[in-house]
Amino acid sequence: MIRIGIAGYGNIGKGVEKAVNAATDMELRAVFTRRGTDTIKLAGRSIPILPIDDAEKMSSEIDVMVLCGSSSSDLHDHGPRFASCFNIVDSFDTHAKIPEYMATVQAAATKTTAIISAGWDPGLFSMVRALSEAVLPDGSNYTFWGEGVSQGHSNAIRSIEGVKMAVQYSVPIQDAIDSVRRGERPDLTARQKHLRKCYVVAEPAADKASIEQKIVTMPDYFADYDTTVTFIGEDEFIANHQKMPHGGLVIRSGKTGSNEQVIEYSLKLDSNPEFTGSIMAAYARAAYKMAADGLFGAKTVLDVPLAYLSDKDRNTLIKELL
Amino acid sequence: MIRIGIAGYGNIGKGVEKAVNAATDMELRAVFTRRGTDTIKLAGRSIPILPIDDAEKMSSEIDVMVLCGSSSSDLHDHGPRFASCFNIVDSFDTHAKIPEYMATVQAAATKTTAIISAGWDPGLFSMVRALSEAVLPDGSNYTFWGEGVSQGHSNAIRSIEGVKMAVQYSVPIQDAIDSVRRGERPDLTARQKHLRKCYVVAEPAADKASIEQKIVTMPDYFADYDTTVTFIGEDEFIANHQKMPHGGLVIRSGKTGSNEQVIEYSLKLDSNPEFTGSIMAAYARAAYKMAADGLFGAKTVLDVPLAYLSDKDRNTLIKELL
């Protein structure tokens, strides 16, 4: 059994827990948290809940530590710190900072295998982008996200005065998808690719017109998009906007000679954090096997042969799935 | 420059030629054929056309030999023979015989890297099946092929007396696809997954009713499917049925806890052999790099890290595509 630890028990940590408990070749050994250990209520069977600062003491008890802290606040610390004494997997998702983050993990992972950015984007979508580009070099990649909840954009709305609750859905624009599927290789602005739909519960005394204006003009987050703001009641918010669906598409259209070729990959997810947790669990298995083969250092999904992800041996995999 | 040889100059060989000539890091050194070398007319720039029996003499001139012979008649010989002195790539596609074929290649590839079955199915579709199963273990894989030409089925029709020309299109059944996309995980018979549409040019004196009857009742090929047979004139056949489009879908629907998750991968190909040739060219690059790293033996697409497929260095790939 591959012994798994989870560092950080938010939504993704709970997703990893569910995936590990469902696997037949992995067992969850401990959950590490920086919150009070008595505030954590596990979804699955009872295992030790320990302060994250004591994690290193467990290095002989855990084969792979799955890092479920936030990319913006936790992983810059957790990545190199845990990679120095555990095999790790994370889903570090600040695309622009991956090379810098990877370098710090690489420096620490001299005797461990550290697979970073193993979610669905970065992660599965990156694999499709890289594979598609290699196979169809004369072509263009397009990535669409949604329809789904963007936590970053939801948080940005919540930071506005007078907002009690808020959620933001990114919605890909069908005309853009259709053009890409037809192989037209359009140049698309941010506005032409995605809509932003916001549902907001305002404080009773709040100025709704002002909130809406602050949202739609917010730089980086909303100003470059067509954004709709719908004010709803708290009951409706709780009834209809508590789920975390997501998904998206990667399409590459290209040519070989004069022939059009189109590759498309899509995800339709009822639970984004559970799907991300399932990916991380599969990469935890890969980290364990790669470490056993002495393949140490910082790795990405582009470095891991797919056979490492499966609980089946290679011959079975080749026979059943090739 | 990675020096490429092509063994077998049919439709796939021509597809490889086009892909290699379009790549900036590969050059085509020679085409090997068992036909008379003066009967071959290259699509691209002039390079030596040599008898396939002389291939071994070129082992110091060629980094990767791309095997484009037929899986049923050529590769059982070519695979182990060429793997003993060249890095090779092939698209061996007789699914049931892959383990046996792989063992013969493995025995020969003691100092070479031999990537087998690197097309789109087996190949890209296998990768998606394996990745999806690892990430969503509680789920089911479905593969649909088409709409596209099946050479095997077309040949089967052509073997019937009185048939002058024939082509068979495999067509996935939309109701089945829709059910899979809804996460219903249906049990589907062969008949429920694909239709078979046949276009036949009959000899002038032929008994069309008898030909149709022979097609629709043919065991293995047609008897288990809903098959339509349309007789057309030779002019229409030449005008409308000479292309080789293909494609298909791999869908995995599964659950994490009580949440539905659906992964879908699809290809829409105007030219099946050119797309297959492009895949093989990318895996030729991978074979070259893996051999340079001493990773010898028989490999499949499940064994090759995606970073090996690209002409970009790993850091660029991570920065641009992760």
Side-chain angles (χ1 to χ4, degrees):
Chain A
M1 297 292 270
I2 306 170
R3 301 166 303 169
I4 303 290
I6 293 175
Y9 193 69
N11 289 322
I12 289 179
K14 289 173 191 170
V16 173
E17 178 192 20
K18 202 170 270 191
V20 169
N21 283 339
T24 55
D25 61 341
M26 294 192 263
E27 61 173 327
L28 192 58
R29 274 298 174 95
V31 166
F32 300 89
T33 178
R34 59 177 177 194
R35 288 183 275 166
T37 55
D38 53 355
T39 66
I40 301 278
K41 197 171 141 33
L42 295 176
R45 68 189 182 75
S46 181
I47 48 145
I49 300 165
L50 304 169
I52 205 158
D53 290 339
D54 293 347
E56 282 82 349
K57 295 177 192 161
M58 293 284 282
S59 64
S60 66
E61 305 272 323
I62 284 171
D63 296 312
V64 186
M65 187 72 93
V66 183
L67 308 188
C68 302
S70 118
S71 296
S72 54
S73 59
D74 300 317
L75 291 178
H76 284 286
D77 169 40
H78 290 182
R81 180 183 141 201
F82 288 116
S84 69
C85 49
F86 296 98
N87 301 309
I88 66 162
V89 172
D90 70 40
S91 57
F92 184 86
D93 66 358
T94 313
H95 286 260
K97 294 191 174 170
I98 289 172
E100 175 195 325
Y101 174 67
M102 187 166 177
T104 68
V105 173
Q106 172 69 25
T110 52
K111 294 277 173 49
T112 62
T113 303
I115 304 177
I116 67 161
S117 301
W120 59 270
D121 197 357
L124 306 191
F125 275 15
S126 320
M127 297 164 79
V128 174
R129 286 189 288 259
L131 174 61
S132 303
E133 184 184 272
V135 162
L136 273 185
D138 176 10
S140 304
N141 280 343
Y142 294 85
T143 303
F144 295 92
W145 298 276
E147 175 162 348
V149 175
S150 163
Q151 293 299 345
H153 288 79
S154 300
N155 291 340
I157 302 172
R158 285 182 209 120
S159 72
I160 296 170
E161 201 183 314
V163 171
K164 187 172 182 187
M165 302 165 117
V167 65
Q168 191 269 175
Y169 298 92
S170 304
V171 185
I173 293 174
Q174 194 61 44
D175 283 351
I177 295 173
D178 292 342
S179 168
V180 170
R181 282 181 177 153
R182 285 192 300 267
E184 295 169 358
R185 297 203 219 169
D187 287 321
L188 297 169
T189 62
R191 189 182 302 275
Q192 288 170 320
K193 286 182 75 184
H194 295 94
L195 293 175
R196 300 206 171 277
K197 290 200 293 192
C198 311
Y199 294 87
V200 178
V201 181
E203 300 286 1
D207 175 352
K208 290 182 181 173
S210 160
I211 290 173
E212 177 165 351
Q213 188 60 18
K214 281 178 186 158
I215 294 172
V216 301
T217 59
M218 195 184 293
D220 299 333
Y221 285 89
F222 295 101
D224 297 333
Y225 297 85
D226 290 336
T227 302
T228 65
V229 179
T230 306
F231 289 94
I232 58 176
E234 191 165 339
D235 291 348
E236 186 186 338
F237 189 93
I238 290 167
N240 298 334
H241 298 284
Q242 298 284 68
K243 291 202 162 189
M244 285 171 286
H246 219 311
L249 299 162
V250 176
I251 308 176
R252 187 173 185 88
S253 77
K255 286 194 167 185
T256 55
S258 59
N259 287 301
E260 287 286 344
Q261 320 275 21
V262 182
I263 302 170
E264 180 168 334
Y265 184 76
S266 70
L267 297 173
K268 287 205 185 72
L269 310 174
D270 274 1
S271 168
N272 181 4
E274 285 186 7
F275 190 70
T276 301
S278 294
I279 297 167
M280 295 175 84
Y283 277 93
R285 181 183 291 123
Y288 175 79
K289 293 189 195 178
M290 290 179 86
D293 285 351
L295 299 168
F296 300 141
K299 310 289 179 191
T300 73
V301 294
L302 305 180
D303 304 309
V304 180
L306 294 172
Y308 279 108
L309 298 173
S310 177
D311 61 354
K312 294 177 175 166
D313 67 63
R314 179 167 171 258
N315 287 340
T316 305
L317 206 56
I318 287 169
K319 188 163 177 240
E320 292 183 357
L321 294 177
L322 197 69
Chain B
M1 296 293 270
I2 306 171
R3 300 166 303 170
I4 303 291
I6 292 174
Y9 194 69
N11 289 321
I12 291 180
K14 290 172 191 169
V16 174
E17 178 192 19
K18 203 171 270 191
V20 170
N21 283 338
T24 55
D25 61 340
M26 294 191 264
E27 60 174 326
L28 191 58
R29 273 300 174 92
V31 166
F32 299 89
T33 179
R34 59 177 176 193
R35 288 183 274 165
T37 54
D38 52 354
T39 67
I40 302 276
K41 199 174 142 28
L42 295 176
R45 67 186 181 76
S46 181
I47 48 145
I49 299 163
L50 304 169
I52 205 159
D53 289 338
D54 292 347
E56 281 83 349
K57 294 178 192 161
M58 293 284 283
S59 65
S60 65
E61 306 271 324
I62 284 171
D63 296 311
V64 186
M65 187 74 90
V66 183
L67 308 188
C68 301
S70 120
S71 295
S72 54
S73 58
D74 299 316
L75 291 178
H76 284 285
D77 169 40
H78 290 180
R81 180 182 141 201
F82 288 116
S84 69
C85 49
F86 295 98
N87 301 308
I88 66 162
V89 172
D90 70 40
S91 58
F92 184 87
D93 66 358
T94 314
H95 286 261
K97 296 194 173 167
I98 290 173
E100 173 195 328
Y101 175 66
M102 188 166 176
T104 67
V105 172
Q106 173 68 26
T110 53
K111 294 277 173 49
T112 61
T113 303
I115 304 177
I116 67 162
S117 300
W120 59 270
D121 197 356
L124 306 192
F125 276 15
S126 320
M127 297 164 78
V128 174
R129 287 190 288 260
L131 174 61
S132 304
E133 184 184 270
V135 162
L136 274 184
D138 177 10
S140 304
N141 281 343
Y142 294 85
T143 303
F144 296 92
W145 297 275
E147 177 163 349
V149 174
S150 164
Q151 293 298 345
H153 289 77
S154 300
N155 291 340
I157 302 172
R158 286 183 209 119
S159 72
I160 296 170
E161 200 185 317
V163 171
K164 187 171 182 189
M165 304 165 117
V167 65
Q168 192 267 180
Y169 298 92
S170 304
V171 185
I173 293 174
Q174 195 60 43
D175 283 352
I177 295 173
D178 291 343
S179 168
V180 170
R181 282 181 178 152
R182 285 192 301 267
E184 294 169 359
R185 296 203 220 170
D187 287 320
L188 297 169
T189 62
R191 190 182 300 275
Q192 289 170 319
K193 287 182 73 185
H194 296 94
L195 292 175
R196 301 206 171 276
K197 290 201 293 195
C198 311
Y199 293 88
V200 178
V201 180
E203 300 285 1
D207 175 350
K208 290 180 181 174
S210 160
I211 291 173
E212 177 165 352
Q213 188 60 19
K214 281 178 187 158
I215 295 172
V216 301
T217 59
M218 195 184 295
D220 300 331
Y221 286 90
F222 295 101
D224 297 334
Y225 297 86
D226 289 336
T227 302
T228 64
V229 179
T230 306
F231 289 94
I232 59 176
E234 191 165 338
D235 290 349
E236 187 186 339
F237 189 92
I238 290 168
N240 299 334
H241 298 284
Q242 298 283 66
K243 290 200 165 191
M244 284 171 284
H246 218 312
L249 299 163
V250 176
I251 308 177
R252 187 172 184 88
S253 77
K255 286 193 166 186
T256 56
S258 59
N259 287 301
E260 287 286 343
Q261 319 275 23
V262 182
I263 302 170
E264 180 168 333
Y265 185 76
S266 70
L267 297 173
K268 286 203 185 73
L269 310 175
D270 274 358
S271 168
N272 181 4
E274 285 186 8
F275 190 70
T276 300
S278 294
I279 298 167
M280 296 175 85
Y283 278 93
R285 181 184 290 123
Y288 175 79
K289 293 188 194 178
M290 291 179 86
D293 286 351
L295 299 168
F296 300 142
K299 310 288 179 191
T300 73
V301 294
L302 306 179
D303 304 309
V304 180
L306 293 172
Y308 279 109
L309 298 174
S310 178
D311 60 354
K312 294 176 174 165
D313 66 67
R314 179 167 172 254
N315 287 339
T316 305
L317 207 54
I318 287 169
K319 187 162 178 239
E320 292 183 358
L321 293 177
L322 197 69

